[in-house]
Amino acid sequence: MAAWIDPTASFDPLAAQRAKVDLERLVVVRARGAGLALATAAALRSEGFRLVVVDVGDPAFGGVDVDDIAPALSAVRGSPAALLVVAGERGRRVAIPTFVFERVSWERRFDRTVGWSFAVGRAHTSDRALFCVTSLDGALADLGTRADLATVAG
Amino acid sequence: MRDPVTLAIVAGDAPELHGRLLATLHAALPRVAVLDPSAFACDLAGTEELLGAPARVARNVMARCARTGARVSAGIAPTPFVARVVAERTPPGEVRSVGDGRAFLAPLPLDLLPVDPKVHEELHLLGLRTVGEFADLPRGSVFDRFGSAVARAHALARGEYGDMVRASAPPRRIRARRAWDDAIGSREQLVFALRVVVDEISAALARDGFAALRLELRLDREDEGPLRIERTVLPPTREAAALLRSLRWALEERAELGLVTGCALEVPEVEAARGRQIGLFAPDGARKEEAIATARFLRAKLGKGAVLRAKVADEAARLPERANEWVEVIA
């Protein structure tokens, strides 16, 4: 089972299903404010979940501050679940291993957006891995890992 | 590969002391199997550094057994069968060690092999009288003529059959108890106080590699008799959270608990704890109960509409709100 903490109520089941997520094994928790840390900590302390995703969203579009989950981070140690935080900005109070996703370009075909290319790398490093996701075949293409891709991403 | 060494302990004249002898052997040696009433096989492979040479172990064990009042004999050999035969042919109070099982068995009569009486007769008609003569027959011929059961006896006769000592886990009492100076009248406080006891039980289970299958809780009460609660834990677990939850559910079923002054928690039935593959992507139904328990907790804390499960109702719907359906995990 996986827990998806969704304070912005932005989880899209259809997109998740297309991305091969088994919705039967997913519990979506819409918690905001103090409830966000509570829900995250409860899911991490439970033996029932193996993955806890917190999608805090972008603060510019109604998302919550990633620092709001700080009280729950002590539950990560000893938890059987992995914690994955998706945020628009890096936290100021929370220090967790961070990967930065940077958009390179939209993939367009017949004047329609069918996917996007993005570069992924550790924060404060120059190495980037470049990926391309399209909705045409649902595949994720790994385009390589090179230092100069940081330039492309930039 | 460790050299196989088996110590057989036989107390032919004291079948009534079987239980005490078994407990004594369990306390002294890691792997003990029961062959017959008052006949035991102990696997000593790999114990030399910790316990000493097999002969020394045998003497120590015999001294312990003597305290129970039994007169036992001991045999040491590479296989359990040979060790037992050696022990049965050794006077009480003595230890005999045999290195070459086949040579030891060769002059002995054929009757000691565990085969059907009809097979014994047939072997007798073939002119075979000793174990050595039977052992000299070609293995394939024995198998072709008599089948697998006699082929196994043939291997025993050659001192080759390294049948494992199938040890049983010693019965062990896993128990924890607490007494409280101030009587507890609230259910929530009681659950909180039980956490310490459950943690102790969980640590004891983890130490022995067991998972609890059944729990027995006795609550001592101030003005009434003790309250006894029995729970079956499915799936068996040693995790404190799951054990405590099971007890909490049992306590919630009772309208009145009274003033509790102490408790005793025991695990009367255990099974070996199994390893678990982390179920990130594999089906992991055994933990669904835990996930639902957490969802119930969050539903109580966050209210309606907060803990949901998503379904795709219509993939081709034009409006996103019609494509998806949200249902409460806990109705």
Side-chain angles (χ1 to χ4, degrees), chain B residues 215-236:
Chain B
L215 291 175
E216 279 180 7
L217 175 67
R218 195 194 74 212
L219 295 174
D220 299 322
R221 297 187 287 183
E222 203 167 66
D223 302 324
E224 300 164 81
L227 174 64
R228 293 177 192 280
I229 292 171
E230 194 174 316
R231 297 289 291 178
T232 302
V233 186
L234 290 174

Side-chain angles (χ1 to χ4, degrees), chain A residues 18 20 107-110 112-116 132-140:
Chain A
R18 284 179 180 162
K20 308 287 190 294
E107 298 293 320
R108 295 182 68 81
R109 192 158 310 173
F110 309 121
R112 296 189 65 179
T113 302
V114 293
W116 58 301
C132 175
V133 183
T134 72
S135 61
L136 295 177
D137 55 1
L140 176 73

Side-chain angles (χ1 to χ4, degrees), chain A residues 13 17 25 28-30 46-47, chain B residues 282 287 294 306 308 315 324:
Chain A
Q17 183 171 283
R25 295 171 57 207
V28 179
V29 183
R30 290 176 175 169
S46 167
E47 290 290 328
Chain B
R287 297 304 170 105
T294 307
L308 304 166
E315 282 194 42
N324 306 321

